[in-house]
Amino acid sequence: MNNTTALGLATLIVVLNGLIGHFFAPNGIMLTPIVLTITTSLVCFGTKNIKIIFISALTYLFVALNDISIKLYSGGSHDNEGLGWVHLLLFVGLVPTFGILLATVLKHKEETVTNKIIAVVLFIGLIVGHLQIFSNLGLGRYYWYDWNG
């Protein structure tokens, strides 16, 4: 599998999950751990000749895109309880995601130890920053066809 195919499939999976979340709520939220695991596997195992720091950034990118699409476009009332479920399933998905990324980082023999440390710290830092910035994204959002007011 070449890089374009792997990254294209990962993008398609995130977009499809966003559409599933919008039209068939709450399935998109419930599929989040599976989507994160599949996209991370595609980035980590499906790409070739990409530096480990970029693999780390791409892994975060697909996690972030999925999280943002779920928070903004999934059906439902977008209240605190729903946000809690979104975060719970995000964290459930981050466990295998981080494990796959860590295995990929350790497997790359051609990378220096410094680059490996930077890749792991970068991913953790991007996730922490993402959660700080986007933790309440979509809260209180409603759609005109769902609103009873």
Side-chain angles (χ1 to χ4, degrees):
M1 182 178 306
N2 65 23
N3 295 346
T4 306
T5 304
L7 298 176
L9 275 173
T11 303
L12 180 66
I13 289 169
V14 170
V15 169
L16 284 175
N17 192 49
L19 291 171
I20 289 169
H22 184 71
F23 292 110
F24 304 105
N27 293 325
I29 297 168
M30 302 306 277
L31 290 173
T32 293
I34 296 167
V35 167
L36 296 185
T37 304
I38 291 171
T39 57
T40 301
S41 296
L42 285 168
V43 170
C44 290
F45 304 134
T47 58
K48 304 289 182 242
N49 301 323
I50 296 180
K51 293 211 173 280
I52 200 69
I53 293 172
F54 294 120
I55 288 176
S56 180
L58 285 168
T59 301
Y60 162 74
L61 176 70
F62 288 111
V63 170
L65 289 175
N66 185 70
D67 186 55
I68 290 169
S69 72
I70 290 296
K71 287 179 178 175
L72 287 181
Y73 302 115
S74 280
S77 60
H78 292 253
D79 55 3
N80 282 318
E81 183 181 2
L83 189 62
W85 275 105
V86 170
H87 283 154
L88 172 70
L89 291 165
L90 172 66
F91 287 126
V92 168
L94 281 173
V95 172
T97 295
F98 187 68
I100 292 167
L101 180 65
L102 201 56
T104 301
V105 166
L106 295 175
K107 185 182 79 171
H108 273 70
K109 303 286 188 232
E110 69 277 359
E111 294 283 349
T112 65
V113 174
T114 305
N115 282 350
K116 290 179 180 185
I117 292 170
I118 289 171
V120 172
V121 171
L122 175 68
F123 181 76
I124 294 170
L126 287 171
I127 292 295
V128 168
H130 175 86
L131 290 171
Q132 290 292 316
I133 295 169
F134 298 111
S135 64
N136 291 327
L137 183 67
L139 196 59
R141 186 175 177 87
Y142 67 90
Y143 295 98
W144 62 270
Y145 53 81
D146 279 341
W147 192 49
N148 295 325

